[in-house]
Amino acid sequence: MTAGGECAVVTGAASGFGLGLAAECAARGMRVALLDRDGDRVGAEAEKLAHEYGVDAFGMAVDVADDTAVRAAADAVRDRFARTDLVVSNVGVQLFGAVERLTDAEWQWVLDVNVVGSARVARAFLPLLRESPAARLAFTSSSGVLAPASRMAAYQASKFAVLGLAETLRLELRDEDIRVTVVFPSGMVSRHLETSQDAQPDRLRRSIGEPEDFAAMHASNPGLAASVIDPRQAAGNVIDALLRGDRYAITHGDLTQAVTERHQDIHQAAVAARDAANGT
Ligand SMILES: NC(=O)c1ccc[n+]([C@@H]2O[C@H](COP(=O)([O-])OP(=O)(O)OC[C@H]3O[C@@H](n4cnc5c(N)ncnc54)[C@H](O)[C@@H]3O)[C@@H](O)[C@H]2O)c1
């Protein structure tokens, strides 16, 4: 991909990983649409990319919790670029708390933004992607799916659901040559806690996490803070995988043991079930 004229759309692109992905696309000569609920910031970042890389870039205020706004963004991209080759659904909000403390309304907010928001983005942009000769659709999940930590149940469950959404879409798009990638980032220096706090609806407003939540999280998964990298560096590591249409992309190199152990356990359960079914 990137033979010329290709366009990328990234949600949650005003900062952090989304901005890094948009910048990596611009650096490869792609036109880019940056979508974010923070319209001022995303507009300014798009201008910077246009200036730095000499590509057409625009930013647009879009809340992925608002289906009308997401569909309007797809119309705006069609008007401006007349095509879309890569869409990255990257928005994710975080809210810490023990399972016993998280309320139904808190679960609903996190799942609505992270999961239903990703489905809204896919639904709105698939008609445009279908017109691309080599369409790519990517979803930002989290390494929390591969190596979870405590006090992040709503967030991690939402990221498991993003994986489930993507795996299902991949099957539904199998005959259309639209490749679907799931991205598993680990620790990045970003504004994630600050932007998640800002994004909380007024009726749910509370501290995003208590000191005891962070302590419990680190105790349950000491590897979590071992390597926290720059989001642009993380994006550089995964963008080629997205453009190739790989099924999975991982930002950090420290997950092999967690992935292997889980799959060994699942394999063992599958073997036990097979043996039980065979009466052996
Ligand atoms: N930072 C990390 O360590 C880390 C680790 C694993 C996964 N992730 C995931 O990476 C993605 C990007 O996070 P980041 O760390 O770059 O954080 P970030 O806060 O820098 O970027 C997220 C962006 O999403 C925007 N946003 C939030 N809610 C939105 C909404 N409803 N509609 C539109 N835009 C919205 C924010 O304004 C912000 O610009 C998220 O999905 C996050 O869950 C981050």
Side-chain angles (χ1 to χ4, degrees):
M1 212 163 131
T2 70
E6 287 91 352
C7 299
V9 176
V10 183
T11 72
S15 70
F17 190 52
L19 178 57
L21 290 170
E24 288 294 327
C25 290
R28 285 159 175 76
M30 298 178 80
R31 294 177 282 170
V32 283
L34 288 75
L35 314 181
D36 201 285
R37 66 184 287 278
D38 186 340
D40 290 343
R41 194 175 182 111
V42 83
E45 293 297 348
E47 262 182 47
K48 280 193 227 162
L49 292 187
H51 182 70
E52 190 171 351
Y53 297 106
V55 296
D56 191 1
F58 76 100
M60 184 171 173
V62 179
D63 183 344
V64 300
D66 177 349
D67 188 49
T68 304
V70 175
R71 284 190 282 114
D75 289 343
V77 170
R78 181 184 286 281
D79 289 348
R80 176 82 166 238
F81 296 149
R83 65 187 287 177
T84 299
D85 304 280
L86 168 67
V87 173
V88 188
S89 172
N90 169 70
V91 167
V93 289
Q94 174 65 275
L95 188 64
F96 295 90
V99 171
E100 288 174 279
R101 177 182 171 189
L102 290 166
T103 66
D104 283 7
E106 289 174 344
W107 273 97
Q108 282 154 5
W109 172 60
V110 173
L111 293 172
D112 183 58
V113 174
N114 295 3
V115 187
V116 189
S118 295
R120 289 183 190 106
V121 169
R123 194 168 58 207
F125 281 93
L126 271 169
L128 255 177
L129 283 171
R130 286 200 169 93
E131 295 170 25
S132 165
R136 310 281 183 252
L137 179 55
F139 296 90
T140 300
S141 177
S142 168
S143 66
V145 168
L146 308 176
S150 67
R151 305 294 173 109
M152 291 203 281
Y155 175 79
Q156 281 170 175
S158 78
K159 294 300 191 175
F160 270 88
V162 168
L163 172 62
L165 163 66
E167 301 277 36
T168 308
L169 250 184
R170 186 182 293 125
L171 294 172
E172 293 179 5
L173 299 174
R174 191 168 44 188
D175 298 332
E176 298 190 55
D177 205 23
I178 299 176
R179 304 278 188 86
V180 178
T181 305
V182 185
V183 186
F184 300 98
S186 296
M188 298 178 288
V189 184
S190 77
R191 300 167 59 239
H192 199 212
L193 302 192
E194 178 191 332
T195 63
S196 296
Q197 183 85 62
D198 284 352
Q200 282 176 4
D202 286 339
R203 70 199 149 81
L204 300 181
R205 204 156 283 291
R206 69 149 164 99
S207 165
I208 193 166
E210 302 300 332
E212 65 181 49
D213 292 324
F214 300 118
M217 174 185 76
H218 286 298
S220 70
N221 184 344
L224 207 62
S227 166
V228 179
I229 65 175
D230 181 83
R232 177 71 190 265
Q233 182 193 343
N237 289 345
V238 301
I239 195 70
D240 291 324
L242 297 196
L243 294 174
R244 277 195 307 268
D246 291 359
R247 290 174 69 178
Y248 307 109
I250 294 180
T251 58
H252 288 48
D254 55 359
L255 289 164
T256 50
Q257 191 182 345
V259 169
T260 303
E261 282 175 7
R262 174 181 294 158
H263 284 92
Q264 275 172 351
D265 288 350
I266 293 173
H267 182 254
Q268 209 176 335
V271 169
R274 180 199 61 195
D275 291 348
N278 291 342
T280 57

